């Protein structure tokens, strides 16, 4: 039930963020404050930051396992880098949104292919391959999920 809510939130955020990044006046053009305060640039920037702020966290809130968890962990770490560096190359917020979309898709593809190549189903071998600094980062991402208290294994 709650997992469905988080998935719906991610889908709604996905659609709203695309419109915000490409044509925010279609959502907010009817409000006086939109033109009076020059909110268009702020809303378009927020549109491509939705990936890191809302979409990926909503998908991670479902507590996925396996390759999807790995994909979302990598995407959560990589999307802010893209969102910070892409405006140096282009000012087209729709293009930056597309790059974030492609990045998340590539993370899913990479994690899926990496998971297919793992022959150990227990996850022990997979965990041993990771360097200590990467294990620390992944464990830090899971803080608050019960693992720090030993609730979940």
């Amino acid at each position: 039930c709650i997992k469905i809510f988080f998935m719906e939130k991610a889908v709604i955020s996905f659609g709203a963020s695309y419109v915000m990044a490409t044509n925010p006046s279609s959502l907010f053009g009817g409000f006086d404050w939109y033109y009076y305060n020059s909110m268009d640039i702020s809303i378009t920037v927020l549109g491509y930051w939705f990936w890191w702020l809302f979409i990926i966290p909503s998908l991670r809130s479902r507590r996925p396992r396996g390759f999807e968890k790995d994909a979302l962990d990598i995407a959560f770490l990589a999307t802010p880098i893209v969102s910070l560096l892409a405006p140096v190359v282009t000012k087209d917020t729709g293009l930056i949104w597309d790059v974030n979309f492609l990045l998340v898709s590539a993370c899913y593809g990479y994690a899926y292919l990496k998971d297919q190549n793992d022959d150990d189903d227990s996850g022990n071998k997979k965990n041993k391959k990771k360097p200590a600094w990467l294990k620390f980062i992944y464990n830090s991402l899971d803080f608050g999920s019960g693992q720090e208290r030993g609730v979940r294994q």
Side-chain angles (χ1 to χ4, degrees):
C1 186
I2 193 78
K3 290 183 179 189
I4 295 171
F5 169 74
F6 285 126
M7 182 59 87
E8 290 171 347
K9 181 180 168 190
V11 169
I12 291 169
S13 295
F14 180 86
S17 70
Y18 180 76
V19 173
M20 288 170 65
T22 57
N23 186 16
S25 62
S26 65
L27 288 177
F28 305 105
F31 300 104
D32 291 335
W33 55 263
Y34 176 74
Y35 296 106
Y36 180 73
N37 295 323
S38 300
M39 293 297 291
D40 56 338
I41 190 70
S42 301
I43 291 173
T44 56
V45 169
L46 181 62
Y48 67 79
W49 272 100
F50 255 58
W51 280 103
W52 187 70
L53 292 171
F54 299 107
I55 299 170
I56 295 170
S58 293
L59 295 173
R60 289 182 80 236
S61 294
R62 298 176 306 119
R63 294 189 182 172
R65 297 190 184 273
F67 82 92
E68 186 178 9
K69 181 182 181 332
D70 291 340
L72 291 171
D73 286 347
I74 296 167
F76 188 74
L77 295 171
T79 53
I81 295 169
V82 167
S83 294
L84 286 171
L85 296 180
V88 173
V89 178
T90 182
K91 302 297 182 219
D92 183 359
T93 55
L95 182 61
I96 298 171
W97 189 94
D98 290 339
V99 170
N100 275 314
F101 173 75
L102 291 174
L103 173 73
V104 172
S105 300
C107 289
Y108 268 94
Y110 169 75
Y112 178 76
L113 292 175
K114 188 177 130 238
D115 192 55
Q116 293 298 315
N117 292 334
D118 270 341
D119 50 16
D120 183 18
D121 292 334
S122 65
N124 293 336
K125 187 187 274 186
K126 188 170 32 171
N127 223 5
K128 288 181 184 175
K129 290 181 185 178
K130 295 179 184 173
W133 62 270
L134 189 59
K135 287 181 193 177
F136 173 76
I137 290 174
Y138 282 168
N139 287 336
S140 298
L141 289 175
D142 289 335
F143 186 79
S145 64
Q147 289 180 342
E148 71 282 353
R149 297 182 307 272
V151 175
R152 257 188 4 167
Q153 296 299 328

